[in-house]
Amino acid sequence: MSFLAVLSVFVGPWYIRNVLLYHNLSGMQETMGGVPVSALANSAVHLPWIHAGWVLLLGSLWTGNNSFSTFSRSTLALLLLGYCVAATVCAYRLLRRKLAAGEFLLIAGFITYGVALAYSAAVTYWFSGGKAFSPSPWYVQPIVPIIVTVLFSELMHFRFRWVIASWIVILSTCILGATYWVKLIPLYTGFSEGRMTIQRLISWYTNPELLSSRLSETAIRGTVLISSWQWQFCFGRSCWRFL
């Protein structure tokens, strides 16, 4: 009851706002005029769920700050593999012991969130006439820290935890570093030559005048460079403490 009370105090005003402005709880523009149940059922039947799930997983790992510029799917798939192995270990451990009341509540929350994502996918498919079929990737981000915390907490009791954890940490750090230094900073400073290569990357960063002048138009000069190193350092140090 205390949890529901705190949740109502902090989240309740947002849902009241949605009802007042959009006449629905979700605040989704697609549902302002209501969604026919028959249309949702038809979407659920024809929606390519496997492909939609794959697109959502990849998009949840990396969107390039909503630029959706290219990134290696192989790298993202390898990171997903690490998470899948961790999830398998977690599920195995949970099935072998008696769950506490809080764990049942946590699992119920995961299921509820999954149903909400499926609902969003069905609404998107119906609203777009079948042209779009996956929820927005940022819908997954609020639950990602919880999932990672649960997986790592269960891995603490696994003999080969350092192998799985190293896999996830190293790939995540590489993706995080590439996001700033190989993707976003060149993108913000005008790089438009397609896929970035090592040769192009070197030539781009050997022109500090161009970088400084372009970044001063999109962000506080130098801040984006400093903050990227800070984020990578904090992420790596926090994860390696687990080992």
Side-chain angles (χ1 to χ4, degrees):
M1 292 299 295
S2 300
F3 174 76
L4 292 177
V6 172
L7 191 65
S8 299
V9 169
F10 286 98
V11 181
W14 174 261
Y15 288 106
I16 294 174
R17 170 187 177 276
N18 289 343
V19 172
L20 294 177
L21 288 179
Y22 308 118
H23 308 292
N24 60 48
L25 286 175
S26 66
M28 295 174 64
Q29 300 294 320
E30 298 90 334
T31 62
M32 285 186 63
V35 182
V37 176
S38 58
L40 281 180
N42 183 66
S43 297
V45 172
H46 294 93
L47 196 152
W49 289 104
I50 296 178
H51 186 45
W54 178 246
V55 171
L56 180 62
L57 286 174
L58 292 179
S60 301
L61 290 177
W62 198 85
T63 65
N65 197 26
N66 301 338
S67 67
F68 296 97
S69 51
T70 57
F71 200 92
S72 172
R73 287 200 170 194
S74 300
T75 305
L76 298 179
L78 287 174
L79 179 57
L80 278 177
L81 177 62
Y83 279 121
C84 287
V85 174
T88 301
V89 173
C90 181
Y92 175 76
R93 287 189 47 80
L94 292 176
L95 291 173
R96 285 178 56 87
R97 62 180 172 82
K98 185 178 180 179
L99 299 180
E103 291 174 323
F104 278 112
L105 182 62
L106 190 62
I107 293 174
F110 286 149
I111 294 174
T112 303
Y113 208 95
V115 171
L117 290 175
Y119 170 77
S120 176
V123 170
T124 301
Y125 187 83
W126 161 74
F127 186 77
S128 66
K131 296 179 181 179
F133 47 78
S134 180
S136 299
W138 43 86
Y139 286 177
V140 182
Q141 302 311 310
I143 202 172
V144 168
I146 303 174
I147 293 176
V148 173
T149 300
V150 171
L151 293 181
F152 273 58
S153 64
E154 290 299 323
L155 281 177
M156 287 285 290
H157 309 283
F158 185 59
R159 177 181 298 180
F160 301 105
R161 63 185 182 275
W162 64 272
V163 177
I164 304 174
S166 299
W167 184 282
I168 294 174
V169 170
I170 291 173
L171 284 176
S172 298
T173 304
C174 289
I175 292 172
L176 182 61
T179 295
Y180 282 102
W181 298 99
V182 182
K183 300 292 184 179
L184 296 187
I185 293 176
L187 178 66
Y188 291 156
T189 53
F191 181 82
S192 59
E193 302 177 26
R195 194 176 185 90
M196 176 66 79
T197 62
I198 295 178
Q199 183 178 359
R200 288 174 176 174
L201 190 66
I202 294 174
S203 63
W204 202 258
Y205 278 103
T206 51
N207 191 346
E209 294 183 1
L210 172 64
L211 291 174
S212 179
S213 62
R214 295 286 180 85
L215 286 177
S216 66
E217 299 172 1
T218 58
I220 300 176
R221 183 175 300 182
T223 300
V224 66
L225 301 177
I226 297 173
S227 62
S228 64
W229 280 118
Q230 291 174 336
W231 275 108
Q232 292 171 63
F233 174 75
C234 292
F235 175 81
R237 188 175 68 172
S238 299
C239 291
W240 281 111
R241 279 183 178 179
F242 159 83
L243 300 176

